[in-house]
Amino acid sequence: MSHIPNNIEHIRTRIREAALTAGRNPGDITLVAVSKRQSIADIEDAYNAGQRHFGENYAQELRDKAVALSHLTDIQWHFIGNLQKNKVKYVVANASMMECIDSFSIAEEFSKRAKGANRTLDALLQVNVGREPQKSGCMPDDAAAIMSNIRLLPNIRLRGLMTVPPFHLEAAETRLVFRELAALRDALGGKDALPELSMGMSHDFEEAIWEGATLVRVGTAIFGERPPKSW
Ligand SMILES: *Cc1c(COP(=O)(O)O)cnc(C)c1O
């Protein structure tokens, strides 16, 4: 028997409890099951347990899985990785939410491809709140300018912000990173303009919910350890 349905149930319970602790509506939080490097069979197990939102971070892997599972017509793919412009087409064809826009030029490419495919894509601006060199995400100080330019592009709808905190932080410090992303959202127009905050992973999604997360990206706590990269 697969452990995945039980894991999902357990995560859903923890999401509900974290939301109630924070005085929030549990229904305002979407669990994104991060299925990168996990098998089609495991994704189907999760789907059969009621899971609908899945996160992938390699463009071709997302495309291959979306094609293999195209009979599951209500599955929602979130792209949570970084990619070169020549891979954008794979994501545009299959994803419903692009979580990792971090520059105007990548947004422009998405917009162009989405227009060509006659689709409108939801997108999140990824912010490097920890200001780590080498990490993807725009700097917090650049977010306002990038956002106002993206808003002029057709076929791309900016829905909120996303962050991946520095890995070495303690839970209390990570929570401050989440709080900073929420504060940035408020400074950039608030919930009406930017309703979504994607933050929190297997080890810190409760802290993220306490700070306002609407999308939590949980991988290993659902599927177990990821198999090593095969390329
Ligand atoms: C892999 C990944 C996750 C999931 O991480 P877990 O620790 O397995 O829950 C979340 N967000 C991003 C951007 C990822 O790349």
Side-chain angles (χ1 to χ4, degrees), residues 4-156:
I4 293 170
N6 279 337
N7 289 349
I8 289 177
E9 190 48 44
H10 183 58
I11 300 287
R12 290 197 180 284
T13 302
R14 288 172 57 191
I15 289 173
R16 199 155 49 235
E17 282 166 4
L20 295 176
T21 300
R24 300 184 54 204
N25 177 358
D28 291 345
I29 296 146
T30 298
L31 172 60
V32 178
V34 177
S35 49
K36 63 190 187 201
R37 309 215 294 275
Q38 307 291 357
S39 68
I40 296 289
D42 283 357
I43 296 173
E44 283 176 320
D45 279 346
Y47 181 91
N48 291 331
Q51 183 62 33
R52 290 295 177 270
H53 292 258
F54 292 87
E56 290 284 340
N57 71 341
Y58 295 100
Q60 277 126 314
E61 187 179 343
L62 168 65
R63 179 204 47 194
D64 293 347
K65 286 175 170 173
V67 168
L69 294 168
S70 59
H71 54 289
L72 307 178
T73 52
D74 58 351
I75 203 165
Q76 307 276 321
W77 296 102
H78 294 235
F79 191 72
I80 60 169
N82 293 98
L83 80 179
Q84 294 138 355
K85 283 189 186 170
N86 60 351
K87 306 276 174 64
V88 165
K89 56 182 182 287
Y90 302 134
V91 176
V92 165
N94 299 294
S96 52
M97 164 95 64
M98 168 62 210
E99 295 208 15
C100 302
I101 297 285
D102 64 356
S103 69
F104 178 69
S105 70
I106 197 82
E108 218 176 6
E109 182 68 17
F110 266 96
S111 168
K112 197 175 89 192
R113 291 280 178 180
K115 194 157 188 254
N118 206 9
R119 305 193 58 187
T120 295
L121 268 187
D122 283 338
L124 305 180
L125 184 67
Q126 181 175 357
V127 184
N128 181 358
V129 175
R131 296 177 168 80
E132 295 171 278
Q134 246 103 103
K135 185 135 177 180
S136 44
C138 71
M139 287 295 147
D141 296 339
D142 298 333
I146 296 173
M147 253 186 52
S148 52
N149 286 329
I150 292 177
R151 288 208 185 285
L152 303 175
L153 294 172
N155 298 71
I156 182 165

Side-chain angles (χ1 to χ4, degrees), residues 32-38 55-57 79-82 99-100 126 162-164 167 198 200-205 216-226:
V32 178
V34 177
S35 49
K36 63 190 187 201
R37 309 215 294 275
Q38 307 291 357
E56 290 284 340
N57 71 341
F79 191 72
I80 60 169
N82 293 98
E99 295 208 15
C100 302
Q126 181 175 357
M162 179 272 202
T163 200
V164 180
F167 285 114
S198 176
M201 320 201 303
S202 288
H203 57 285
D204 56 19
F205 67 87
V216 292
R217 309 179 307 268
V218 177
T220 46
I222 292 176
F223 295 105
E225 288 302 319
R226 279 179 282 278

Side-chain angles (χ1 to χ4, degrees), residues 151-210:
R151 288 208 185 285
L152 303 175
L153 294 172
N155 298 71
I156 182 165
R157 203 163 36 210
L158 205 55
R159 300 276 301 154
L161 305 178
M162 179 272 202
T163 200
V164 180
F167 285 114
H168 57 272
L169 297 184
E170 304 286 331
E173 295 170 307
T174 303
R175 189 169 173 183
L176 294 180
V177 170
F178 296 149
R179 186 171 299 174
E180 199 176 325
L181 191 73
L184 182 62
R185 184 267 299 277
D186 292 343
L188 293 172
K191 285 185 189 171
D192 289 341
L194 299 167
E196 306 288 353
L197 285 180
S198 176
M199 53 191 196
M201 320 201 303
S202 288
H203 57 285
D204 56 19
F205 67 87
E206 282 143 327
E207 283 84 357
I209 290 169
W210 297 335

